[in-house]
Amino acid sequence: MANNNHIHPQVKSTTNGGAAAVKPSFPATKAQIYGASRPTYRPQTNHRRRSNRNWCCTICCWLILILIFILILLGAAGTVVYLLYHPQRPSFSVTSLKLTSSELDLTLSTTNPNDKITFSYQPISVSLLAGGLDIGDGVIPSFEHATKNTTMLKALVEMKSVKRKSLELKIKMETKVEAKMWVFKTPRVGISVLCDGIDVAGEKVTATGDKCEVDVRFKVWKWTLG
């Protein structure tokens, strides 16, 4: 009698074209967790940063060039003004002095040597100095000084009591002046005038100095329409 029992070979289930399925290890290792959560590295380019640097350098270069151009124009304008008008500072000198017990009657002459520039003076403060000390003060009113003109100025200086009978005096004047040329004018600049060589003996006054020292600076590059 034939044995109907047949032995069938065990068939293993396969996936992916016959490859055996591999079960993942449990629990997951640290390497697997880190690899799954780590973002993909993408190198960054410095193109935008370099572009910003180039723009900054370009702007700085243009600003420097513009500044140099403006300085050249100002220098050229000042040279043209000097060559056309030959600006000269005014001169001052002491004409006469009369001394009383408490006052000094002062007369000055000032000359404008320019033939195309006029001066406009604000009130002039007058200080009488003896040994570096201020012993008297006065004021000369404001005035306009025309071209090629000599103007006489008068001031009455009130003196403080001085015990010494003989003194060597200095006269210091300070004011602001504006130069006018055609339709242009400069801003008002300070001017200081110092006259020395004035000897006092009793009520007798002698002035040995011919001209006074004038300290003034004209800013010819700051012209404005007047």
Side-chain angles (χ1 to χ4, degrees):
M1 184 176 179
N3 190 5
N4 294 328
N5 294 328
H6 298 280
I7 299 172
H8 299 279
Q10 186 177 359
V11 180
K12 296 181 179 180
S13 60
T14 61
T15 57
N16 298 332
V22 179
K23 295 182 179 180
S25 60
F26 184 83
T29 62
K30 292 183 179 181
Q32 291 175 341
I33 295 174
Y34 180 78
S37 60
R38 182 179 180 183
T40 305
Y41 173 74
R42 295 178 181 178
Q44 297 181 357
T45 61
N46 294 328
H47 178 71
R48 183 177 299 177
R49 186 178 300 174
R50 292 178 180 177
S51 178
N52 293 336
R53 290 179 180 176
N54 292 337
W55 272 107
C56 292
C57 292
T58 303
I59 292 174
C60 291
C61 291
W62 275 107
L63 290 176
I64 293 174
L65 290 176
I66 292 173
L67 180 61
I68 293 174
F69 182 72
I70 292 174
L71 292 176
I72 292 174
L73 285 181
L74 292 176
T79 303
V80 171
V81 169
Y82 181 80
L83 294 176
L84 289 177
Y85 295 93
H86 298 285
Q88 302 179 53
R89 66 183 63 190
S91 62
F92 291 79
S93 60
V94 178
T95 302
S96 65
L97 293 167
K98 293 181 181 180
L99 180 63
T100 64
S101 59
S102 61
E103 293 178 341
L104 176 66
D105 191 358
L106 172 64
T107 303
L108 299 167
S109 64
T110 175
T111 302
N112 179 8
N114 300 280
D115 56 356
K116 297 179 181 179
I117 300 176
T118 61
F119 296 124
S120 176
Y121 290 88
Q122 287 187 335
I124 303 174
S125 64
V126 181
S127 299
L128 195 61
L129 306 176
L133 299 177
D134 188 349
I135 63 171
D137 298 290
V139 177
I140 298 175
S142 59
F143 67 98
E144 297 284 335
H145 204 177
T147 59
K148 291 292 183 179
N149 177 265
T150 298
T151 302
M152 306 302 292
L153 306 175
K154 289 183 175 294
L156 191 62
V157 181
E158 295 183 359
M159 296 181 57
K160 300 176 184 178
S161 59
V162 181
K163 296 181 180 180
R164 295 177 60 182
K165 294 183 179 181
S166 61
L167 295 172
E168 183 176 348
L169 301 180
K170 293 182 180 180
I171 299 174
K172 184 177 182 181
M173 296 175 289
E174 291 184 343
T175 184
K176 287 188 176 181
V177 62
E178 179 183 71
K180 296 180 180 180
M181 181 187 61
W182 191 37
V183 296
F184 299 99
K185 61 182 179 181
T186 65
R188 294 188 183 275
V189 295
I191 178 173
S192 177
V193 181
L194 182 63
C195 306
D196 56 3
I198 301 172
D199 297 326
V200 177
E203 293 185 358
K204 184 179 179 181
V205 182
T206 57
T208 58
D210 294 334
K211 289 186 178 181
C212 306
E213 296 180 2
V214 180
D215 183 13
V216 60
R217 295 179 182 179
F218 294 107
K219 299 179 180 180
V220 297
W221 56 88
K222 289 187 177 180
W223 297 99
T224 58
L225 286 174

